[in-house]
Amino acid sequence: MSIPETPDVAGLVTEVLLSADQLQAKVRELGAQITADYAGRELWLVSILKGGTFFLVDLARAIGVPVAIDFFGISSYGQDRHSGVVRITKDLDESIEGRDVLLVEDIVDTGLTLGYIRRALEARGPASLRTCVLFDRPYRRIVELPVEYRGFELPDLFVVGYGLDWQQKHRNLPYVGVLNPALFDPSRTRMPWEA
Ligand code: IMP
Ligand code: MG
């Protein structure tokens, strides 16, 4: 698949892994599945800042039951993101007690981020709590967690687009592309997003 000609992303990606059409088709499929599973109920969608918001907006429009949306933001303290120490940068605006909550996130990799968020939200007494991710690298898991809805399994390559960033940029690409390896240090021992 050829890389769309967008001057400001020249040299950014080497390959389009998932086209905008493939992403949108998968979002519709997930939306239909969620609509069927929650028939007759209302859903409280909680998206994780910032990457999850792109998926949230498309997914919400593919769901046929009444939905409300809210946002949750965390960042890891210090250098070691594996320490499990995180700070809430944006808390939910509303209580989720007694509500059917669906966590909406772009990607689950080690599971550290979503594992923490699931535990934090579970403690607030939702009627139910499920997780929907568009991308997954199950073979990288450190923290096991249930993922009830998932879009695509990704290879162990750093990707950008559709919510995923490189140095906070390029989340707005409508497709998912493999980041040009020339842009990061090939001798790295950790994946670039762990830096
Ligand atoms: P984890 O599941 O806690 O390891 O982390 C997932 C987080 O790492 C996501 O929320 C993303 O912010 C980031 N991430 C993982 N893989 C990629 C990637 O390929 N590109 C950009 N960000 C990524
Ligand atoms: Mg993220």
Side-chain angles (χ1 to χ4, degrees), residues 94-113:
E94 313 268 346
S95 164
I96 53 167
E97 196 180 342
R99 293 186 159 136
D100 288 311
V101 175
L102 183 62
L103 265 175
V104 179
E105 173 63 313
D106 48 8
I107 184 166
V108 56
D109 189 80
T110 61
L112 286 162
T113 310

Side-chain angles (χ1 to χ4, degrees), residues 39 59 99 101-102 111 133 153 160 169 186:
L59 182 68
R99 293 186 159 136
V101 175
L102 183 62
V133 298
E153 181 169 329
V160 288
K169 295 183 294 264

Side-chain angles (χ1 to χ4, degrees), residues 55-90:
F55 179 35
L56 169 84
V57 169
D58 286 340
L59 182 68
R61 289 182 289 196
I63 293 176
V65 300
V67 303
I69 62 169
D70 206 344
F71 299 91
F72 196 74
I74 64 165
S75 71
S76 24
Y77 270 123
Q79 296 291 54
D80 185 11
R81 65 187 292 278
H82 290 182
S83 69
V85 182
V86 298
R87 181 170 63 94
I88 296 177
T89 56
K90 159 72 180 77

